[in-house]
Amino acid sequence: MCKELYQSCTQCPRKCGSNRNAGKTGFCRENAEVRIAVACLHFGEEPLITVHGGSGTIFITGCTLRCAFCQNYQISQNGMGKSVSCEEFSQICLKLQEAGAENINIVTGSHAIPKLAEYIEAAQKAGCKIPFCWNSSAFESVEMLELLKPFVKIWLPDLKTLDSKLSKNLFDAAQYPEAAKKAISWMIKNNPLSISEIPAPKDYTDSNGDNWQKGEIKEKMNQGVIIRHLFMPGKFMETADVLEWLKKNADGKACISLMNQYTPVPFDEERENLEKRKNALSSIENRLVSREEDADLQDLLEACDFEYLFYQELSDDTSWLPDFNKKQPFSNKLAVPVWHHKYGFLK
């Protein structure tokens, strides 16, 4: 089945029909190989999945969207990464598990679901016991998500916007809102929330160097959905529309994560690409979120009164922006790299 699904690719909602088995690439710019840029213990995700040991993130090369503001553009759009076999993927998962990861977090794999489903199954058979987490834009078809259903327990979809004109300008995908709503509804229906309380291990020290007292408790998601929405500067009403949909369709059944960390990215690209980004980004105000906007967002969240909500503190710190050319793509406090596409295993 896997080979058939790459023959005339209709995996994502674009259904571009590329023969990826023959080495041709679709809109995602990837053929039938699975390519990875970096794997690390990540402490910047929501507390329910970082818990004590961090989330074992694996960044997949390629993407079904072209988000003009993408902080991971080196990977998602510019092809940075290395082809890995099923066996090497399993080894990466096992290394992350050995390093203390709470889960295996597959980032932006929507264009490679059939193979990743096979790779995840193989990793589990090879001894990876921690849960697998699917971290995506939600620009996916339900038919493809069904392939992941036996293996993935935690889902981290974005709901970027419900405005098709904005999604056309920013992501080159006018059909994004409808596709994302269907995908997220499927995730919620098939993955009821399961959260447990986990004591810190004895003599545990986290990535910030902070010591935890033995028995200190944190919550951990065993199964369920965390729906993320990134507020885009100057687009308050678009966020209000998204939160209204989430209140009606997800409250009490999934966790909501509203992010105010929108940050202009210093893109290092050819002039032609930079011009395209500039044109796309004219759809929003390409700047940090203001204190006034942050206050308005908090008022909106108070009115929504979500049962389970994450919301970031406003910050003007941009040092977290990644550079995947480096062995350590993130700040030392944010991540512990385990594997890199240039250097292989680092520990």
Side-chain angles (χ1 to χ4, degrees):
M1 175 185 284
C2 187
K3 189 173 183 180
E4 293 173 3
L5 290 171
Y6 285 87
Q7 190 70 28
S8 179
C9 190
T10 57
Q11 289 183 45
C12 85
R14 295 185 189 278
K15 302 186 183 301
C16 64
S18 297
N19 185 352
R20 293 167 66 185
N21 288 326
K24 296 181 180 179
T25 60
F27 183 93
C28 61
R29 299 181 180 177
E30 294 298 309
N31 56 29
E33 296 179 333
V34 172
R35 297 200 298 143
I36 296 174
V38 68
C40 62
L41 296 178
H42 203 304
F43 294 87
E45 307 282 46
E46 286 78 3
L48 283 176
I49 59 170
T50 57
V51 199
H52 299 294
S55 183
T57 48
I58 299 177
F59 290 85
I60 308 296
T61 304
C63 186
T64 59
L65 295 180
R66 299 263 168 87
C67 297
F69 50 80
C70 182
Q71 69 190 49
N72 296 341
Y73 74 99
Q74 296 165 308
I75 299 171
S76 61
Q77 299 169 20
N78 291 353
M80 185 180 289
K82 173 183 177 289
S83 176
V84 297
S85 66
C86 186
E87 182 181 2
E88 188 169 7
F89 178 88
S90 294
Q91 291 172 348
I92 292 170
C93 293
L94 293 173
K95 277 289 185 182
L96 288 167
Q97 179 174 260
E98 181 183 323
E102 304 282 354
N103 45 66
I104 303 296
N105 185 345
I106 309 297
V107 182
T108 318
S110 306
H111 55 286
I113 288 178
K115 276 204 171 175
L116 284 172
E118 291 186 357
Y119 279 25
I120 293 169
E121 181 179 19
Q124 290 175 336
K125 289 180 177 178
C128 190
K129 305 298 184 185
I130 55 179
F132 275 80
C133 172
W134 190 255
N135 186 337
S136 76
S137 68
F139 191 54
E140 297 157 321
S141 71
V142 168
E143 292 77 14
M144 290 298 102
L145 295 178
E146 287 283 352
L147 299 180
L148 296 169
K149 185 177 178 179
F151 315 114
V152 174
K153 296 299 181 186
I154 303 170
W155 303 77
L156 271 69
D158 292 333
L159 184 53
K160 295 176 182 289
T161 182
L162 296 179
D163 185 326
S164 60
K165 182 178 180 181
L166 187 62
S167 62
K168 171 61 178 175
N169 292 338
L170 285 176
F171 321 139
D172 201 6
Q175 68 272 51
Y176 172 83
E178 290 306 313
K181 285 191 292 184
K182 288 179 182 178
I184 290 171
S185 296
W186 179 93
M187 294 174 191
I188 294 172
K189 179 181 178 180
N190 287 279
N191 297 274
L193 282 174
S194 172
I195 298 171
S196 56
E197 294 185 337
I198 305 295
K202 183 180 180 181
D203 301 326
Y204 175 75
T205 303
D206 69 11
S207 66
N208 295 321
D210 296 328
N211 291 317
W212 292 86
Q213 306 227 349
K214 182 182 178 182
E216 190 160 352
I217 301 296
K218 283 192 173 185
E219 288 187 313
K220 177 176 181 175
M221 177 175 279
N222 306 305
Q223 177 179 285
V225 183
I226 301 174
I227 306 166
R228 294 167 163 174
H229 173 68
L230 175 66
F231 170 71
M232 289 176 276
K235 294 295 179 181
F236 182 83
M237 291 309 301
E238 283 74 6
T239 286
D241 289 342
V242 168
L243 294 181
E244 181 181 1
W245 188 88
L246 291 174
K247 181 65 180 177
K248 181 180 178 180
N249 296 279
D251 191 27
K253 297 178 284 187
C255 302
I256 310 303
S257 181
L258 179 59
M259 301 179 290
N260 62 6
Q261 66 185 30
Y262 182 93
T263 306
V265 177
F267 294 104
D268 182 13
E269 294 182 305
E270 298 293 331
R271 182 174 179 180
E272 182 180 352
N273 282 347
L274 290 174
E275 284 298 318
K276 288 180 180 178
R277 288 192 189 279
K278 183 179 178 181
N279 290 336
L281 288 170
S282 66
S283 301
I284 59 173
E285 297 175 23
N286 188 31
R287 56 169 174 78
L288 295 174
V289 175
S290 70
R291 292 191 179 279
E292 291 76 14
E293 287 172 321
D294 181 63
D296 289 341
L297 288 173
Q298 292 190 47
D299 288 342
L300 180 58
L301 289 173
E302 186 175 349
C304 289
D305 191 27
F306 287 108
E307 186 173 326
Y308 215 127
L309 173 75
F310 295 105
Y311 185 68
Q312 298 166 314
E313 291 185 10
L314 188 65
S315 172
D316 59 3
D317 178 18
T318 63
S319 63
W320 57 269
L321 284 171
D323 182 355
F324 293 96
N325 280 303
K326 299 177 180 178
K327 279 187 181 180
Q328 170 53 292
F330 303 92
S331 69
N332 289 332
K333 288 187 176 182
L334 198 60
V336 178
V338 171
W339 182 94
H340 192 279
H341 69 280
K342 289 182 180 178
Y343 310 105
F345 289 102
L346 302 175
K347 286 183 174 286

